[in-house]
């Protein structure tokens, strides 16, 4: 076998490892997916307490059954235009792990769609856009019957520095 064949097979095996259930949601016209095992629950939008001197995409904190939880706006994280919350807007509660730091975090999305079972053969690696575009937080691209869903690695959507400050915010 040639080196390129080995690399292609390794990439395909990596995509097969990503097979499983994903919670799909929308931001604008795009569809995304999160590994269902990272999702703890989905809650309706609620009043968010702003925290001074946090990055723009960190909306603040909420009290979820007696625990203070930071909330980020995924639109702002992805540098998308901010929109008015609708009745479909909700918060996906996820557990984010970076090294030793683990944070329960709320992620604001436009609309939750469904849970999909995605096979390894339906997932392709994220396309390369060159060094100017960061795609390290994309697990892969899932081809479903009617669209392409961007599968996110929620652990990499937030930088390590932000993880530290979010962990302190949740304190």
């Amino acid at each position: 076998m040639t080196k390129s064949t080995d690399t292609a097979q390794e990439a395909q095996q990596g995509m097969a490892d990503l097979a499983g259930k994903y919670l799909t949601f929308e931001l604008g016209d795009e569809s995304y997916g999160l590994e269902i095992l990272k999702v703890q629950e989905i809650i309706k939008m609620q009043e968010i307490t702003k925290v001074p001197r946090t990055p723009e995409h960190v909306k603040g904190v909420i009290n979820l059954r007696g625990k203070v939880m930071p909330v980020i706006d995924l639109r702002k994280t992805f540098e998308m235009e901010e929109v008015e919350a609708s009745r479909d807007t909700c918060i996906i509660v996820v557990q984010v792990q970076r090294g030793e730091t683990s944070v329960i975090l709320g992620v604001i999305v436009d609309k939750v769609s469904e849970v999909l079972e995605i096979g390894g053969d339906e997932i392709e690696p994220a396309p390369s856009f060159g060094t100017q575009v960061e795609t390290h937080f994309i697990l892969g691209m899932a081809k479903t019957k009617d669209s392409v869903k961007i599968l996110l690695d929620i652990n990499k959507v937030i930088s390590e520095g932000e993880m530290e400050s979010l962990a302190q915010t949740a304190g």
Side-chain angles (χ1 to χ4, degrees):
M1 270 196 261
T2 65
K3 179 105 174 109
S4 63
T5 307
D6 289 346
T7 306
Q9 284 180 333
E10 285 170 17
Q12 198 54 49
Q13 178 57 44
M15 295 300 105
D17 293 345
L18 297 176
K21 288 185 173 11
Y22 288 83
L23 174 69
T24 61
F25 62 91
E26 294 172 20
L27 288 178
D29 296 332
E30 300 303 321
S31 293
Y32 297 86
L34 288 175
E35 293 171 279
I36 198 74
L37 295 175
K38 304 273 189 212
V39 176
Q40 297 205 331
E41 64 183 300
I42 301 162
I43 58 176
K44 66 181 181 21
M45 199 59 190
Q46 55 187 271
E47 195 66 35
I48 299 172
T49 304
K50 296 209 177 301
V51 177
R53 301 177 74 178
T54 54
E56 192 177 350
H57 64 275
V58 177
K59 293 313 245 182
V61 295
I62 60 172
N63 178 347
L64 185 63
R65 291 184 293 283
K67 291 221 182 288
V68 174
M69 178 180 72
V71 176
I72 65 165
D73 185 339
L74 209 50
R75 278 181 157 277
K76 288 298 226 183
T77 304
F78 291 163
E79 299 175 2
M80 297 170 81
E81 180 183 328
E82 198 167 0
V83 295
E84 194 71 32
S86 74
R87 56 178 213 148
D88 289 331
T89 304
C90 59
I91 299 172
I92 301 173
V93 179
V94 294
Q95 179 157 14
V96 181
Q97 184 84 36
R98 285 298 285 267
E100 298 295 308
T101 309
S102 177
V103 175
I104 303 297
L105 178 71
V107 179
I108 300 171
V109 300
D110 293 352
K111 178 183 179 183
V112 168
S113 303
E114 61 186 331
V115 174
L116 285 179
E117 179 77 41
I118 299 176
D121 60 333
E122 298 172 292
I123 303 172
E124 289 186 9
S128 174
F129 295 103
T131 57
Q132 300 302 309
V133 179
E134 278 190 54
T135 58
H136 68 280
F137 55 85
I138 299 175
L139 288 172
M141 310 301 265
K143 303 168 297 207
T144 60
K145 60 184 177 298
D146 53 358
S147 67
V148 173
K149 307 215 182 298
I150 301 167
L151 304 179
L152 300 176
D153 182 344
I154 195 65
N155 294 330
K156 293 182 180 171
V157 168
I158 291 108
S159 73
E160 283 190 55
E162 288 176 310
M163 273 291 290
E164 304 273 325
S165 69
L166 289 171
Q168 290 170 357
T169 302

